[in-house]
Amino acid sequence: MIIARSAQELQDALQLKTGTIGFVPTMGALHIGHRSLIEAARSGNDYVVVSIFVNPTQFLPGEDLSKYPRREEADFKICELSGVDVLFYPDVNAMYGEDEVRICAPDVRGFILEGSSRPGHFDGVLTVVMKLLNMVRPARVYFGKKDAQQLALITQMCHNFFMNIEIIPMETVRESDGLALSSRNVYLNSAERQEALKLSAALKCATKMLMQGNTKSAEIKEAMEAILEPLDVEYVAIVNRAFESIDEVVTGNTIVLVAARVGTTRLIDNVWM
Ligand code: AMP
């Protein structure tokens, strides 16, 4: 595995490769969710590039940028054992200059839910993803459905900017008790980890209600809120794939999303129906 730390090193590592590149952008502290993306990239392409970069422009002031988990040695090992060909591991100076053009999230989908809870977050995400895609130039890029709104906005950006890259959405990988894997789960103490299960429990309840024939968003949301109640809930939302709020769940075109704080840790989860 080649470790590239700058655009030049990345270019040097990639220039001899002929064939398709599958790319997995991450912020590190890799877990089995990330590994599922790497494995899909491995099996669908000739080469796999993973990036690990804790992107400062997507963190708001007061968020967890400085304490975001960093696991260099373990991450390198996971990438190596997963058959990654090139690990792109830049520092901030390799990615950003002093004064730069930024990509702005579109109004309609960028400023609701995560965009309204974390104003400016998606501008940072889209900017760094644009940079990374231009540097790696993959045939396919792999993103988790867990970050559903991010996935939708990146898909829109690639469409709007005529970028010829196939975006592969990947299912959310969970612990056996339902908790969605996240690098931020390490912040949870054992009592909080139990509380955090309320997010996946609320989503399971939504799925069960739908399976029982209840398609009313208001009723599903009410039942979910009752499960989530002790937590500091930021939003419970039921939207279609275009992220428009819907009164009735339509199978095949619905995402149910939740964001809540457990202690000081902000968690998100969702289910696609
Ligand atoms: P992050 O390192 O959190 O920025 O995530 C990097 C990629 O991994 C993103 O596309 C995420 O959506 C994806 N991801 C994060 N958690 C999971 C999970 N539990 N299952 C599948 N993909 C995930």
Side-chain angles (χ1 to χ4, degrees):
M1 181 175 82
I2 297 173
I3 298 172
R5 293 173 191 268
S6 66
Q8 186 61 56
E9 285 180 18
L10 182 65
Q11 203 187 318
D12 292 346
L14 294 178
Q15 72 180 359
L16 298 176
K17 311 250 183 265
T18 52
T20 57
I21 293 174
F23 177 40
V24 181
T26 81
M27 296 208 299
L30 301 178
H31 50 64
I32 298 170
H34 295 116
R35 275 174 50 189
S36 74
L37 274 58
I38 296 172
E39 276 156 27
R42 176 74 285 153
S43 62
N45 301 276
D46 299 315
Y47 299 99
V48 178
V49 177
V50 170
S51 64
I52 296 180
F53 179 59
V54 182
N55 172 38
T57 65
Q58 71 189 67
F59 287 78
L60 272 59
E63 287 190 344
D64 57 346
L65 172 62
S66 60
K67 69 171 182 131
Y68 194 83
R70 287 162 171 88
R71 300 269 154 75
E72 183 176 302
E73 210 177 306
D75 285 352
F76 285 15
K77 194 116 285 131
I78 289 169
C79 288
E80 184 125 51
L81 293 174
S82 309
V84 171
D85 297 287
V86 179
L87 172 60
F88 183 43
Y89 191 65
D91 67 12
V92 178
N93 296 326
M95 293 296 288
Y96 289 104
E98 296 251 303
D99 184 27
E100 293 215 341
V101 173
R102 291 270 175 101
I103 307 287
C104 293
D107 287 349
V108 175
R109 284 198 269 184
F111 287 86
I112 52 165
L113 306 176
E114 287 302 286
S116 105
S117 292
R118 306 178 70 191
H121 166 68
F122 285 126
D123 297 353
V125 170
L126 294 179
T127 301
V128 79
V129 170
M130 175 66 97
K131 283 172 182 273
L132 290 167
L133 293 177
N134 281 332
M135 282 189 267
V136 177
R137 302 210 167 265
R140 297 179 192 86
V141 61
Y142 297 76
F143 289 104
K145 287 180 169 182
K146 175 166 178 290
D147 297 286
Q149 207 177 346
Q150 166 178 291
L151 171 61
L153 287 167
I154 290 167
T155 305
Q156 182 174 349
M157 177 178 78
C158 288
H159 175 74
N160 290 160
F161 286 86
F162 304 100
M163 297 161 78
N164 188 20
I165 297 171
E166 192 179 348
I167 294 173
I168 314 283
M170 297 290 298
E171 294 305 324
T172 299
V173 178
R174 297 175 181 281
E175 304 271 13
S176 54
D177 59 9
L179 183 69
L181 289 172
S182 162
S183 304
R184 289 189 166 98
N185 290 352
V186 297
Y187 299 150
L188 303 169
N189 64 33
S190 61
E192 289 170 342
R193 201 196 164 289
Q194 270 313 105
E195 286 289 280
L197 292 176
K198 292 194 163 67
L199 275 82
S200 53
L203 294 168
K204 264 186 218 154
C205 165
T207 307
K208 190 167 162 209
M209 286 176 80
L210 180 65
M211 277 161 59
Q212 288 167 346
N214 190 341
T215 57
K216 299 256 175 301
S217 297
E219 290 177 21
I220 294 173
K221 273 180 20 186
E222 199 181 306
M224 289 177 68
E225 277 156 3
I227 293 170
L228 292 163
E229 206 251 276
L231 303 182
D232 177 6
V233 179
E234 272 184 25
Y235 60 77
V236 174
I238 301 186
V239 300
N240 61 20
R241 296 284 200 269
F243 277 83
E244 294 155 340
S245 196
I246 48 175
D247 295 334
E248 292 270 338
V249 172
V250 179
T251 307
N253 190 23
T254 298
I255 311 175
V256 182
L257 307 105
V258 55
R261 273 177 203 282
V262 181
T264 54
T265 307
R266 186 173 184 280
L267 298 175
I268 59 170
D269 200 353
N270 64 63
V271 62
W272 297 47
M273 296 172 156

